[in-house]
Amino acid sequence: MNRHQPRITLLAGGVGGAKLAAGLAAICEPGQLSIIGNVADDQEFHGLWVSPDIDTLTYTLAGRIDSDKGWGLANESNRVLDGLKRLGCDSWMYLGDQDLATHIMRSHLRQQGVRPSVIAQRIAESFRVQSNIVLPTDDRLQTRVRTPQGWLSFQEYFVREQCQPEILEIQLDGLEHATVTPEALAAIREADLLVIAPSNPIVSIGPILAVPGLGQAFALSNAVKIAVSPLIGGATVKGPADRMLSACGYSCDNVGIADCYTDLIDGLIIDHQDQSETSDLEQRGLNVMVTHTLMQHTADKARLARELLQFAQELVTVEKLAC
Ligand code: GDP
C-alpha cells in the first residue's frame, strides 16, 4: 500500500455508507477516494428515475444533506409533492422540490441515451463533489422483498411499508443482464485499500458485489480489504439490516457480518460494545479492530476514517513481516 496517498475505493449504500464516505473524503486528497454506490434501490416515480443511495452519497459529500434525516437535501420544500398529492398521485415517496431537479436532470439525460455512470458523475460535479462516485452497473438492477402481502419493490417495503412486513425472501432482479461498468472495475483494480462501509450487507453491499465480474475483481485484488460493521451492540443503528440478516440465514451479530464477506476481507472494524465477539472473529482468520463506530458528527466520521487507515497500514506491515 502506498503509505503517502493510498488509492481508496469504498463500497457504500446510502446513509451508513455516506457517513464513512464523508469521513474518508475529509482526510483524503481530491481524487484519492472512489465510492462505488448501490443502484438496486432505484425506482421510477412520477416518470422520473430516482436513485436514493447515489443521491445520499452525492448530497452528503457536497455538504448539502439534511443531516437530521441523513437523506434528502437540507432546507427542502415540498410544493411539487403537495401538488401531486392534490392531483391524486401517490406521495409516500418523499421527493423535495430541489431534489426533484436532480431526478429531472437524471431522467432527461437517460432518455437521451447518456450512460447512468456519466450522469452520476455529472451530477456529482455540479454539486462540486471531489471524490469519484461510481456506479457498479449501468443496467437496471432491483432488490425485491417477498412479504406475506406478496413481492414489494425495495422502496415499497422500506418507505411505504416502513419496514414493517415480515421478510420471507429477498431477491435481486436483473443480474443476468447486468454488466459491470469499466469505472467500477478500474476503481477496484487500482485501489490500494478496499473498504466496505457500515452499510446493509444484504441490500446495499450485496447488490454491488453481485454484479457479474465485480465481486470477482474485489476478491482477486491485492489491496488491503477492510469492512466496518453496521451493527452496534448486536443491532442496527437504523434500518432493517438485522431482520434481513436473519431472513437470509445469517446470525445478527458481527460473525453474521463476517459470513456475508467470507473470503473478501482481511479485517473487520467492530464497536466497543461488541468487543466480546473478537475471538470468534479472529478464529475465522480475521484481523479485528475495536473502536467507537457510531458516527454522529463530522469529527467522529474523520476519526473513524483515520483509524481505518491506520488499521490498513498495520495489516500491510503484518503481511510483510509474515513473508
Ligand atoms: P441505506 O441504503 O440508506 O439503508 O444505508 P446503508 O445501507 O448505507 O446503511 C444502513 C446501515 O448503516 C444500517 O445497518 C445501520 O446500522 C448502519 N449505520 C448507520 N449509521 C451508522 C454509524 O454511525 N455507525 C455504524 N457502525 N453503522 C451505522
Side-chain angles (χ1 to χ4, degrees), residues 13-319:
V15 176
K19 286 186 186 177
L20 187 61
L24 286 166
I27 62 165
C28 284
E29 297 294 324
Q32 195 186 342
L33 174 65
S34 296
I35 303 139
I36 305 181
N38 172 38
V39 293
D41 294 0
D42 291 15
Q43 189 170 327
E44 194 173 78
F45 292 93
H46 316 293
L48 301 174
W49 194 251
V50 178
S51 195
D53 282 2
I54 301 301
D55 291 341
T56 297
L57 284 170
T58 305
Y59 298 162
T60 301
L61 292 172
R64 299 273 311 275
I65 197 84
D66 179 330
S67 50
D68 292 335
K69 292 195 294 207
W71 52 271
L73 284 160
N75 306 316
E76 264 293 15
S77 51
N78 43 303
R79 299 186 65 180
V80 176
L81 201 66
D82 285 346
L84 286 164
K85 208 186 295 182
R86 277 196 296 275
L87 288 166
C89 300
D90 270 345
S91 56
W92 52 263
M93 184 71 178
Y94 182 83
L95 301 168
D97 294 336
Q98 302 176 81
D99 185 34
L100 276 161
T102 305
H103 311 316
I104 291 170
M105 175 180 170
R106 173 186 295 118
S107 306
H108 182 58
L109 291 174
R110 283 173 75 100
Q111 279 158 16
Q112 291 180 339
V114 180
R115 271 202 312 132
S117 293
V118 173
I119 302 173
Q121 272 166 20
R122 269 198 220 171
I123 295 173
E125 277 163 23
S126 345
F127 275 87
R128 303 196 194 292
V129 171
Q130 298 199 314
S131 306
N132 308 311
I133 295 184
V134 174
L135 303 194
T137 180
D138 287 322
D139 299 309
R140 189 177 169 138
L141 204 58
Q142 286 197 298
T143 296
R144 293 172 62 74
V145 183
R146 188 162 71 84
T147 71
Q149 297 162 247
W151 284 101
L152 301 177
S153 74
F154 181 78
Q155 297 304 339
E156 285 167 343
Y157 166 78
F158 194 72
V159 180
R160 194 186 70 196
E161 304 299 328
Q162 303 282 300
C163 308
Q164 290 305 311
E166 185 192 352
I167 302 167
L168 302 175
E169 198 181 335
I170 299 174
Q171 189 174 294
L172 192 55
D173 283 358
L175 260 189
E176 61 287 3
H177 303 297
T179 317
V180 62
T181 60
E183 291 87 352
L185 273 188
I188 288 177
R189 289 187 180 145
E190 289 163 13
D192 300 299
L193 171 59
L194 288 170
V195 183
I196 298 180
S199 290
N200 186 320
I202 309 293
V203 295
S204 292
I205 303 299
I208 300 175
L209 288 168
V211 173
L214 196 152
Q216 289 89 327
F218 192 102
L220 289 173
S221 160
N222 289 324
V224 181
K225 299 166 201 165
I226 295 175
V228 180
S229 174
L231 300 180
I232 298 183
T236 56
V237 177
K238 203 177 165 188
D242 41 7
R243 273 167 289 148
M244 290 188 163
L245 281 167
S246 306
C248 294
Y250 295 100
S251 57
C252 182
D253 54 16
N254 287 309
V255 169
I257 299 295
D259 286 344
C260 290
Y261 303 138
T262 302
D263 296 333
L264 289 175
I265 53 170
D266 308 305
L268 181 64
I269 300 184
I270 65 171
D271 193 79
H272 273 296
Q273 291 184 35
D274 303 313
Q275 187 154 18
S276 61
E277 295 173 19
T278 305
S279 60
D280 280 350
L281 293 165
E282 285 174 344
Q283 275 169 24
R284 283 171 146 73
L286 279 178
N287 297 283
V288 180
M289 180 180 141
V290 181
T291 184
H292 292 288
T293 67
L294 184 64
M295 295 171 278
Q296 286 172 305
H297 307 290
T298 309
D300 305 329
K301 296 171 193 164
R303 187 229 351 113
L304 185 58
R306 254 184 242 109
E307 290 179 350
L308 193 156
L309 288 193
Q310 180 64 39
F311 183 40
Q313 203 63 66
E314 283 165 19
L315 294 189
V316 174
T317 312
V318 168
E319 209 170 278

